[in-house]
């Protein structure tokens, strides 16, 4: 059975869209998913399922809305896709280290989109890129390297204008999810 990671957008942030991970695991188990693990409280779920990605995404969004009373975008990646994402990182360790040396906060993020961006969305992103923020898009993922907090990032703020569903995770979380998948 294929191994997946589901990444929920905007849960347990600022006291809104609260979902306990135990309740989320229970929901997935009730939906027939197997070997379910969660990582931190921000909605990172590892599980096995015989369903295809699109069906999983629809089922999870519907299940969460029915059980918890609010809609949450869900982004799905297979274990192999996550491994590919990490192995194909377009930034060198030197580039990442240089960005990290300027600040105490996280500076390297992955934006995971539900589908590839449209030409208009790509144009929007390219219009806000600056010398201290850069990104690389590969398929349905955007690697984002900042030199300051994501809260001060014009590039990150521009994601609010993108209609394609997405969620953002820092690179350490992505690498930890891969480690957890490979350990299973």
């Amino acid at each position: 059975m294929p191994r997946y990671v589901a990444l929920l957008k905007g849960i347990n942030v600022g006291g809104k869209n609260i979902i306990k991970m135990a309740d989320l695991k229970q929901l997935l188990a009730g939906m027939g998913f197997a070997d379910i693990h969660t990582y931190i409280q921000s909605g990172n779920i590892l599980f096995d399922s015989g369903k295809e990605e699109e069906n999983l995404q629809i089922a999870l969004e519907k299940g969460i809305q029915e059980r918890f009373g609010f809609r949450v975008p869900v982004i799905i990646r297979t274990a192999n896709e996550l491994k590919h994402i990490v192995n194909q990182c377009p930034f060198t360790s030197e580039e990442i280290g240089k960005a990290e040396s300027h600040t105490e906060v996280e500076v390297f993020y992955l934006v995971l989109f539900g589908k590839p961006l449209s030409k208009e969305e790509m144009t929007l992103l390219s219009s806000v890129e600056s010398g201290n923020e850069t990104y690389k898009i590969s398929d349905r993922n955007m690697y984002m390297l900042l030199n300051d907090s994501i809260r001060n990032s014009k590039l990150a703020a521009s994601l609010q204008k993108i209609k394609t569903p997405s969620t953002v995770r820092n690179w350490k979380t992505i690498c930890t999810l891969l480690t957890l998948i490979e350990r299973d």
Side-chain angles (χ1 to χ4, degrees):
M1 202 176 313
R3 189 89 173 129
Y4 291 95
V5 61
L7 303 134
L8 283 58
K9 180 177 184 171
I11 67 161
N12 300 336
V13 178
K16 295 181 182 179
N17 296 343
I18 302 299
I19 299 177
K20 293 180 181 176
M21 294 301 101
D23 295 339
L24 189 57
K25 285 175 75 171
Q26 185 180 50
L27 172 67
L28 271 67
M31 296 173 75
F33 301 160
D35 198 14
I36 305 161
H37 299 277
T38 60
Y39 174 67
I40 60 178
Q41 298 297 311
S42 59
N44 306 295
I45 315 153
L46 306 169
F47 62 93
D48 294 341
S49 175
K51 295 181 181 181
E52 293 189 17
E53 180 182 324
E54 185 177 340
N55 295 332
L56 288 170
Q57 181 252 331
I58 292 167
L60 282 169
E61 286 180 357
K62 182 179 178 186
I64 290 167
Q65 185 164 12
E66 289 174 357
R67 172 83 185 270
F68 301 105
F70 50 85
R71 187 179 183 287
V72 173
V74 176
I75 305 296
I76 305 285
R77 294 295 186 268
T78 66
N80 287 337
E81 285 175 313
L82 193 62
K83 185 175 185 177
H84 181 77
I85 287 166
V86 171
N87 290 337
Q88 298 303 311
C89 176
F91 296 110
T92 67
S93 56
E94 290 80 19
E95 290 171 314
I96 297 166
K98 182 179 177 184
E100 289 175 338
S101 71
H102 296 289
T103 182
E104 298 285 320
V105 298
E106 297 290 332
V107 295
F108 189 28
Y109 293 86
L110 184 73
V111 183
L112 302 107
F113 296 104
K115 63 182 182 180
L117 296 178
S118 68
K119 288 182 182 182
E120 293 80 18
E121 291 170 323
M122 298 280 277
T123 300
L124 172 70
L125 288 174
S126 67
S127 71
V128 296
E129 185 177 16
S130 68
N132 65 348
E133 303 181 323
T134 188
Y135 69 92
K136 309 269 184 188
I137 294 180
S138 177
D139 191 35
R140 300 180 298 156
N141 308 295
M142 182 173 88
Y143 302 83
M144 189 168 55
L145 186 58
L146 312 173
N147 281 326
D148 194 6
S149 169
I150 193 168
R151 294 177 185 183
N152 300 328
S153 168
K154 291 180 182 178
L155 182 60
S158 71
L159 293 172
Q160 301 300 321
K161 298 175 184 173
I162 302 273
K163 292 181 183 171
T164 298
S166 68
T167 192
V168 179
R169 297 294 188 275
N170 70 51
W171 191 249
K172 289 177 184 172
T173 296
I174 295 297
C175 291
T176 300
L177 289 170
L178 180 60
T179 299
L180 293 171
I181 284 174
E182 290 176 337
R183 209 177 345 164
D184 289 346

